[in-house]
Amino acid sequence: MSGVVRAAIVQTAWTGDKESMIKAHEEYVRQAAAAGAKIICFQELFYGPYFCQVQESEYYAYAESIPGPTTERFAALAAEHGMVMVLPMYEREQAGILYNTAAVIDADGSYLGKFRKTHIPNVKGFWEKFYFRPGNLGYPVFDTAVGRIGVYICYDRHFPEGWRALGLAGAQIVFNPSATSRSLSSYLWKLEQPAAAVANEYFIAAINRVGVEASYGDNDFYGTSYFVDPEGKFVGDTGDPYQPELIVRDLDLGLIETVRNRWAFYRDRRPDAYGDLVQP
């Protein structure tokens, strides 16, 4: 698909319970629809706190099946508003088998599939190996009503191979929902995703939650969510570093072909592009 796609991302703060968090995101969907958005992505583990600051088995209760009750609830909303949705959730495949996952719902409400976070950190404030197994679904690209989209989740962004795999599979927009703290990797936040967008010639949506979830730890999530284009330029302003915000931007997918024709990275990096240089 080419042309302009109006896309939305949400950065928000923990409300205190799962149901109110889901209702808040349902309202964000309605606001995005009223603004004309045709695709929306929420932050990492969107309906809960970032409980990975501690290691407590009680938080396994946030996990649910995908597809399941939350995906079905938002699928109905997707169909109502004709909007593609990326839902970052805590997935329970079976007892003791848990993943950090994003479900993808098409604009007609159909479930298209999921991506499971591949790279799992285990450092102070981010004890994710206590909660998640490494993803085992590779790097799928989903054909949606607005084009071909991919997902990479938070810590994945530090590793270039997934970015590259998504580009080679034809992704036009890649969403990176995150829970990123001011004290750790903020110096990389406006560096890595623009660099990946340039290297792989697609749009990236970088989403980060906001606030300090004091019941769980002192991680200060700094928002500053944004869209970046295939030339590494921010599409409009970045999000607020402290406040919840719905960010809606127009993405001109035609720029992807323009940039790919300019640099020919994909053509020239194919092994068969050098066949005439290989000696028998």
Side-chain angles (χ1 to χ4, degrees):
M1 181 175 177
S2 60
V4 176
V5 171
R6 183 159 292 183
I9 51 179
V10 174
Q11 61 174 45
T12 196
W14 170 232
T15 58
D17 66 88
K18 180 177 178 178
E19 180 60 21
S20 65
M21 200 70 168
I22 288 175
K23 286 182 177 178
H25 282 81
E26 289 174 329
E27 180 57 28
Y28 280 123
V29 169
R30 296 185 186 99
Q31 292 175 18
K38 295 301 180 183
I39 183 168
I40 192 168
C41 180
F42 304 147
Q43 63 201 21
E44 185 180 17
L45 303 170
F46 85 90
Y47 56 62
Y50 184 72
F51 44 73
C52 305
Q53 296 182 74
V54 297
Q55 298 181 74
E56 301 289 349
S57 59
E58 64 187 275
Y59 299 117
Y60 296 156
Y62 279 97
E64 61 176 76
S65 61
I66 298 177
T70 298
T71 51
E72 290 169 4
R73 185 166 170 173
F74 279 88
L77 203 57
E80 178 184 348
H81 293 289
M83 188 183 299
V84 180
M85 296 186 183
V86 181
L87 310 174
M89 299 166 57
Y90 192 9
E91 181 190 8
R92 179 185 184 273
E93 184 182 56
Q94 57 181 285
I97 310 296
L98 307 171
Y99 296 97
N100 188 331
T101 300
V104 179
I105 308 295
D106 211 355
D108 62 358
S110 59
Y111 168 74
L112 296 181
K114 57 195 171 188
F115 166 74
R116 289 172 172 161
K117 185 174 182 175
T118 302
H119 305 91
I120 309 298
N122 206 54
V123 298
K124 182 180 179 181
F126 301 85
W127 303 115
E128 294 199 10
K129 288 184 179 177
F130 185 84
Y131 296 99
F132 314 122
R133 292 192 176 204
N136 56 3
L137 299 177
Y139 305 104
V141 171
F142 303 94
D143 286 307
T144 76
V146 300
R148 292 176 60 78
I149 71 165
V151 185
Y152 220 29
I153 298 177
C154 198
Y155 195 67
D156 284 328
R157 71 179 183 273
H158 303 312
F159 302 87
E161 60 270 20
W163 292 122
R164 190 63 177 166
L166 290 165
L168 290 170
Q172 296 170 292
I173 310 170
V174 176
F175 293 89
N176 181 235
S178 300
T180 298
S181 174
R182 204 178 303 274
S183 63
L184 188 60
S185 60
S186 57
Y187 74 100
L188 292 172
W189 182 249
K190 293 183 181 178
L191 171 64
E192 284 180 316
Q193 287 97 307
V198 169
N200 298 288
E201 300 167 329
Y202 47 51
F203 287 87
I204 292 175
I207 307 102
N208 188 25
R209 62 175 61 209
V210 293
V212 177
E213 299 168 4
S215 297
Y216 304 92
D218 59 3
N219 284 2
D220 185 2
F221 303 108
Y222 54 82
T224 323
S225 303
Y226 61 81
F227 290 95
V228 62
D229 72 20
E231 295 182 317
K233 300 174 183 175
F234 294 122
V235 183
D237 295 333
T238 61
D240 192 278
Y242 297 99
Q243 299 299 321
E245 189 173 354
L246 171 69
I247 298 168
V248 180
R249 300 285 185 266
D250 288 332
L251 311 181
D252 181 2
L253 300 188
L255 181 60
I256 296 171
E257 184 174 3
T258 298
V259 173
R260 290 189 175 185
N261 287 340
R262 179 190 307 155
W263 292 109
F265 286 165
Y266 284 80
R267 182 195 70 202
D268 291 343
R269 291 186 180 179
R270 292 198 320 260
D272 60 354
Y274 301 97
D276 59 341
L277 302 179
V278 177
Q279 300 298 316

